[in-house]
Amino acid sequence: MTRTPMPIARWIPVGLALSIIGLMPDARLYAAEATSCRMTFTLTIRAAFYQRGEGSAEVSCDNGQSRTVYLRSRGGGVNFGKSTIRGIGKFSGIVDIDDIFGSYIDANAHAGNASGAAAMTKGDVSLALSGTGRGPSLGFAFGKFTISRRKFADD
């Protein structure tokens, strides 16, 4: 049995598609690789309706980058108490360690001793915090959690 050759017109779309694909840059060449970053922190929070917190942290990434950073938490809601929390944070959506800096949207609820977890976001970057601490606290708050390269001035 002999095969009849496929008409050349059928090969034109295939050839055109292959040549376009060959001319297109590979997106993986330009997409930066995500890295995993972890933060160990200490945060002192005081609250009487308005929540104010300040602290410091060490951030290290699996690509070898690390930074000492300062933390500030501000928010409103129904809050009472004073607590010092020590914990860890895990970032996602990080390409370079400088992506961690800025303000995150924060919402949290707490009762009893200062323990718990929080998840927050800043554009494509997310941060999950968990920790334990000392001091009674009660309430819930919505606010801003800011990571800075330098210590904040009193406001």
Side-chain angles (χ1 to χ4, degrees):
M1 181 184 254
T2 60
R3 297 180 103 194
T4 57
M6 188 180 290
I8 190 121
R10 289 187 140 176
W11 287 101
I12 291 175
V14 173
L16 187 59
L18 290 173
S19 62
I20 290 172
I21 290 171
L23 295 175
M24 291 175 45
D26 188 350
R28 290 174 293 163
L29 294 175
Y30 297 104
E33 203 171 306
T35 188
S36 176
C37 296
R38 186 172 189 263
M39 173 173 74
T40 56
F41 69 91
T42 301
L43 184 65
T44 300
I45 298 174
R46 292 177 177 85
F49 294 107
Y50 184 75
Q51 175 181 299
R52 297 174 59 95
E54 292 191 6
S56 61
E58 293 290 327
V59 179
S60 58
C61 301
D62 62 1
N63 65 3
Q65 295 177 309
S66 64
R67 299 276 189 281
T68 298
V69 299
Y70 297 95
L71 309 174
R72 178 171 63 180
S73 176
R74 301 287 187 262
V78 180
N79 284 297
F80 300 97
K82 177 184 175 190
S83 56
T84 299
I85 301 168
R86 295 182 192 282
I88 61 167
K90 293 183 180 176
F91 292 92
S92 62
I94 300 293
V95 174
D96 183 80
I97 196 165
D98 290 336
D99 295 343
I100 67 171
F101 296 111
S103 295
Y104 295 76
I105 297 171
D106 177 23
N108 62 65
H110 47 91
N113 282 335
S115 298
M120 49 195 75
T121 186
K122 173 186 74 98
D124 292 338
V125 177
S126 297
L127 172 59
L129 298 176
S130 63
T132 59
R134 300 176 142 232
S137 62
L138 176 65
F140 62 89
F142 300 94
K144 185 166 65 168
F145 185 85
T146 304
I147 300 175
S148 172
R149 289 177 177 82
R150 59 181 174 73
K151 195 165 186 174
F152 293 95
D154 290 337
D155 35 303

